[in-house]
Amino acid sequence: RKEVEQDPGPFNVPEGATVAFNCTYSNSASQSFFWYRQDCRKEPKLLMSVYSSGNEDGRFTAQLNRASQYISLLIRDSKLSDSATYLCVVIVFMRFGAGTRLTVKP
Amino acid sequence: DTAVSQTPKYLVTQMGNDKSIKCEQNLGHDTMYWYKQDSKKFLKIMFSYNNKELIINETVPNRFSPKSPDKAHLNLHINSLELGDSAVYFCASSQDWINYGYTFGSGTRLTVV
């Protein structure tokens, strides 16, 4: 299973429509989540972070569901200028080993 | 002022050549990255440096060697270029590697012929 999976689309919607994207992640230790937007032949640009309580920025709403391990992006009242590729980003904690106990004796 | 600048923007070269891509950020960020975006548009992490120290090195061939002379610069050198190396390479930076989003450079389109 891929670490981060999204439906590649394309999603073709009329102006004014509401559209939602989902993104699932496999690592339950994932800590930080973002949505990026990439226009054709351009670099990705941060659209918004995704917080546990859900967050909204104008017409855009991001949600995080840790239990089901997915994040979503909802775009209301779609504009022509919203046409782009939307990328989800998931950042995982560093992982620790079990530890090596050292005992120094006199 | 460009926040993350990478050069060159386009690079066309023959198989077997060695080439470098430079990246500089003026944001004061501690962490820099190299990503590869292939023809399927999938962005894949290659390397990450935090304060000049390598912290992520994904399974990238040894022909790729990152170099960070200071925390504002992360260059990518590629030896013995192969056709499969053709892609867009993006440099990025972030304030730290866990909590903040990335700022990307505009990309370097590498074509190996």
Side-chain angles (χ1 to χ4, degrees):
Chain A
R1 184 184 170 189
K2 288 184 187 172
E3 288 186 38
V4 183
E5 287 201 73
Q6 331 180 211
D7 185 338
F11 284 64
N12 297 312
V13 300
E15 273 187 281
T18 296
V19 61
F21 310 129
N22 277 348
C23 172
T24 58
Y25 59 93
S26 60
N27 193 327
S28 58
S30 300
Q31 182 188 23
S32 304
F33 308 87
F34 304 90
W35 281 103
Y36 276 73
R37 171 195 170 127
Q38 186 174 24
D39 292 297
C40 191
R41 300 177 83 86
K42 297 283 189 182
E43 72 274 22
K45 290 188 178 172
L46 180 64
L47 182 65
M48 57 198 302
S49 302
V50 186
Y51 302 122
S52 297
S53 53
N55 48 300
E56 196 171 300
D57 182 4
R59 297 181 293 109
F60 298 83
T61 301
Q63 298 271 0
L64 165 63
N65 185 319
R66 284 194 185 273
S68 303
Q69 294 184 198
Y70 74 85
I71 62 172
S72 63
L73 177 68
L74 182 78
I75 307 175
R76 289 182 299 279
D77 188 23
S78 301
K79 312 284 184 201
L80 291 176
S81 57
D82 294 334
S83 299
T85 297
Y86 291 84
L87 304 162
C88 66
V89 175
V90 175
I91 300 180
V92 185
F93 272 118
M94 285 191 189
R95 289 288 205 171
F96 289 89
T100 300
R101 182 181 288 277
L102 168 68
T103 302
V104 178
K105 297 190 174 180
Chain B
D1 270 351
T2 306
V4 180
S5 60
Q6 50 182 113
T7 54
K9 198 170 172 65
Y10 299 96
L11 185 54
V12 181
T13 188
Q14 289 186 323
M15 278 175 60
N17 283 351
D18 303 339
K19 290 292 178 187
S20 290
I21 309 172
K22 295 188 176 181
C23 180
E24 175 182 2
Q25 53 95 3
N26 62 5
L27 298 165
H29 286 169
D30 286 341
T31 309
M32 295 185 73
Y33 311 82
W34 276 109
Y35 276 83
K36 177 179 179 181
Q37 189 170 43
D38 58 26
S39 56
K40 293 180 182 173
K41 307 299 181 191
F42 183 62
L43 270 165
K44 193 169 181 181
I45 181 75
M46 298 174 70
F47 301 104
S48 175
Y49 270 72
N50 181 269
N51 272 318
K52 300 194 297 174
E53 186 180 340
L54 181 67
I55 55 170
I56 294 175
N57 182 349
E58 292 295 288
T59 49
V60 176
N62 290 339
R63 300 182 294 104
F64 290 79
S65 51
K67 284 195 172 43
S68 183
D70 54 62
K71 77 172 192 177
H73 295 84
L74 180 61
N75 303 324
L76 184 65
H77 188 76
I78 316 169
N79 289 329
S80 304
L81 277 154
E82 300 177 358
L83 292 176
D85 297 333
S86 296
V88 181
Y89 291 84
F90 286 102
C91 175
S93 72
S94 66
Q95 193 164 332
D96 71 43
W97 79 292
I98 289 287
N99 293 311
Y100 295 88
Y102 304 164
T103 302
F104 281 85
S106 57
T108 296
R109 186 171 292 275
L110 171 66
T111 305
V112 182
V113 297

Coordinates of all heavy atoms in Angstrom, one line a residue, chain B residues 69-99:
Chain B
P69 N 26.9 23.5 1.5 CA 28.0 24.3 2.0 C 27.6 25.1 3.2 O 28.4 25.4 4.1 CB 28.4 25.2 0.9 CG 27.3 25.2 -0.1 CD 26.5 24.0 0.1
D70 N 26.3 25.6 3.3 CA 25.8 26.3 4.4 C 24.3 26.1 4.4 O 23.7 25.5 3.4 CB 26.1 27.8 4.4 CG 25.7 28.4 3.1 OD1 24.5 28.5 2.8 OD2 26.6 28.9 2.3
K71 N 23.6 26.5 5.4 CA 22.2 26.1 5.5 C 21.3 26.9 4.5 O 20.1 26.5 4.3 CB 21.6 26.3 6.9 CG 21.3 27.7 7.4 CD 20.6 27.7 8.7 CE 20.1 29.1 9.0 NZ 19.3 29.1 10.3
A72 N 21.8 27.8 3.8 CA 21.1 28.5 2.7 C 21.2 27.9 1.4 O 20.5 28.3 0.4 CB 21.5 30.0 2.7
H73 N 22.1 26.9 1.2 CA 22.4 26.3 -0.1 C 22.3 24.8 0.0 O 22.8 24.2 1.0 CB 23.8 26.7 -0.6 CG 23.9 28.2 -0.8 ND1 24.2 29.1 0.1 CD2 23.8 28.9 -2.0 CE1 24.3 30.3 -0.4 NE2 24.0 30.2 -1.7
L74 N 21.7 24.2 -1.0 CA 21.7 22.8 -1.1 C 21.8 22.5 -2.6 O 20.8 22.7 -3.4 CB 20.4 22.1 -0.5 CG 20.4 20.6 -0.6 CD1 21.5 20.0 0.1 CD2 19.0 20.1 -0.1
N75 N 22.9 22.0 -3.0 CA 23.2 21.7 -4.5 C 23.0 20.2 -4.7 O 23.2 19.4 -3.8 CB 24.5 22.2 -4.9 CG 24.7 23.7 -4.6 OD1 23.8 24.5 -4.7 ND2 25.9 24.1 -4.2
L76 N 22.7 19.9 -6.0 CA 22.6 18.5 -6.3 C 23.5 18.2 -7.5 O 23.4 18.8 -8.6 CB 21.1 18.2 -6.7 CG 20.7 16.8 -7.1 CD1 20.9 15.9 -5.8 CD2 19.3 16.7 -7.6
H77 N 24.4 17.2 -7.3 CA 25.3 16.9 -8.4 C 24.9 15.5 -8.9 O 24.6 14.6 -8.0 CB 26.7 16.8 -7.9 CG 27.7 16.6 -9.0 ND1 28.0 17.6 -9.9 CD2 28.4 15.5 -9.3 CE1 28.9 17.1 -10.8 NE2 29.2 15.9 -10.4
I78 N 24.8 15.3 -10.2 CA 24.5 14.0 -10.7 C 25.6 13.5 -11.6 O 25.9 14.2 -12.6 CB 23.1 14.1 -11.5 CG1 22.1 14.9 -10.7 CG2 22.6 12.7 -11.8 CD1 20.8 15.2 -11.6
N79 N 26.1 12.3 -11.4 CA 27.1 11.7 -12.2 C 26.5 10.8 -13.2 O 25.5 10.2 -13.0 CB 28.1 11.0 -11.3 CG 29.0 11.9 -10.5 OD1 29.3 13.0 -10.9 ND2 29.4 11.4 -9.4
S80 N 27.2 10.6 -14.3 CA 26.8 9.6 -15.3 C 25.3 9.6 -15.6 O 24.6 8.5 -15.4 CB 27.3 8.2 -14.8 OG 28.6 8.2 -14.5
L81 N 24.8 10.7 -16.1 CA 23.4 10.8 -16.3 C 22.8 9.7 -17.2 O 23.4 9.3 -18.1 CB 23.1 12.2 -16.9 CG 23.0 13.3 -15.8 CD1 23.4 14.6 -16.4 CD2 21.7 13.3 -15.1
E82 N 21.6 9.3 -16.8 CA 20.9 8.2 -17.6 C 19.6 8.8 -18.1 O 19.1 9.8 -17.5 CB 20.6 7.0 -16.6 CG 21.9 6.4 -16.1 CD 21.6 5.2 -15.1 OE1 20.4 4.9 -14.9 OE2 22.6 4.6 -14.7
L83 N 19.0 8.1 -19.1 CA 17.8 8.6 -19.6 C 16.7 8.7 -18.6 O 15.9 9.6 -18.6 CB 17.3 7.6 -20.7 CG 18.1 7.6 -22.0 CD1 17.6 6.5 -23.0 CD2 18.1 8.9 -22.7
G84 N 16.7 7.8 -17.6 CA 15.6 7.7 -16.6 C 15.7 8.9 -15.6 O 14.9 9.1 -14.8
D85 N 16.8 9.6 -15.7 CA 17.0 10.8 -14.8 C 16.2 12.0 -15.3 O 16.0 13.0 -14.6 CB 18.5 11.2 -14.7 CG 19.3 10.1 -14.0 OD1 18.8 9.3 -13.3 OD2 20.5 10.0 -14.4
S86 N 15.7 11.9 -16.5 CA 14.9 13.0 -17.0 C 13.7 13.2 -16.2 O 12.9 12.3 -15.9 CB 14.5 12.7 -18.5 OG 15.6 12.6 -19.3
A87 N 13.5 14.4 -15.7 CA 12.4 14.8 -14.8 C 12.5 16.3 -14.4 O 13.4 16.9 -14.9 CB 12.5 14.0 -13.5
V88 N 11.6 16.7 -13.6 CA 11.7 18.1 -13.0 C 12.2 17.9 -11.6 O 11.6 17.1 -10.8 CB 10.4 18.8 -13.1 CG1 10.6 20.2 -12.5 CG2 9.8 18.9 -14.5
Y89 N 13.2 18.6 -11.3 CA 13.8 18.5 -9.9 C 13.4 19.8 -9.2 O 13.7 20.9 -9.7 CB 15.3 18.3 -10.0 CG 15.7 17.0 -10.5 CD1 15.7 16.7 -11.9 CD2 15.9 15.9 -9.7 CE1 16.0 15.5 -12.4 CE2 16.2 14.6 -10.1 CZ 16.3 14.4 -11.5 OH 16.5 13.2 -12.0
F90 N 12.8 19.7 -8.0 CA 12.4 20.8 -7.2 C 13.2 20.9 -6.0 O 13.3 19.9 -5.2 CB 10.9 20.7 -6.8 CG 10.0 21.0 -8.0 CD1 9.3 20.0 -8.6 CD2 9.7 22.3 -8.4 CE1 8.4 20.3 -9.6 CE2 8.8 22.6 -9.4 CZ 8.2 21.6 -10.0
C91 N 13.7 22.0 -5.7 CA 14.3 22.3 -4.4 C 13.3 23.0 -3.5 O 12.4 23.7 -4.0 CB 15.5 23.3 -4.6 SG 16.3 23.8 -3.1
A92 N 13.3 22.7 -2.2 CA 12.4 23.3 -1.3 C 13.0 23.6 0.0 O 14.1 23.1 0.3 CB 11.2 22.4 -1.1
S93 N 12.4 24.5 0.8 CA 12.9 24.7 2.2 C 11.8 24.9 3.1 O 10.6 25.2 2.7 CB 13.8 26.0 2.2 OG 13.0 27.2 2.1
S94 N 12.1 24.7 4.4 CA 11.0 24.9 5.5 C 11.7 25.3 6.7 O 12.9 25.1 6.9 CB 10.2 23.6 5.7 OG 11.0 22.6 6.2
Q95 N 10.9 25.9 7.6 CA 11.5 26.4 8.9 C 12.0 25.3 9.7 O 13.0 25.4 10.4 CB 10.4 27.3 9.6 CG 11.0 28.1 10.7 CD 10.0 29.2 11.1 OE1 9.2 29.7 10.3 NE2 10.1 29.6 12.4
D96 N 11.2 24.2 9.8 CA 11.7 23.0 10.4 C 11.0 21.9 9.6 O 10.2 22.1 8.8 CB 11.5 22.9 11.9 CG 10.1 22.7 12.3 OD1 9.4 21.9 11.7 OD2 9.6 23.3 13.2
W97 N 11.4 20.6 9.9 CA 11.0 19.6 8.9 C 9.7 18.9 9.4 O 9.2 18.1 8.7 CB 12.1 18.6 8.7 CG 12.3 17.6 9.8 CD1 12.7 17.8 11.0 CD2 12.0 16.2 9.7 NE1 12.7 16.6 11.7 CE2 12.3 15.6 10.9 CE3 11.5 15.4 8.6 CZ2 12.1 14.3 11.2 CZ3 11.4 14.0 8.9 CH2 11.7 13.5 10.1
I98 N 9.1 19.3 10.5 CA 7.9 18.6 11.0 C 6.7 19.5 10.8 O 5.7 19.1 10.3 CB 8.1 18.2 12.4 CG1 9.1 17.1 12.5 CG2 6.8 17.8 13.0 CD1 8.6 15.7 12.1
N99 N 6.8 20.7 11.3 CA 5.6 21.5 11.5 C 5.2 22.5 10.5 O 4.1 23.1 10.5 CB 5.7 22.2 12.9 CG 5.7 21.2 14.0 OD1 4.8 20.4 14.1 ND2 6.6 21.4 14.9

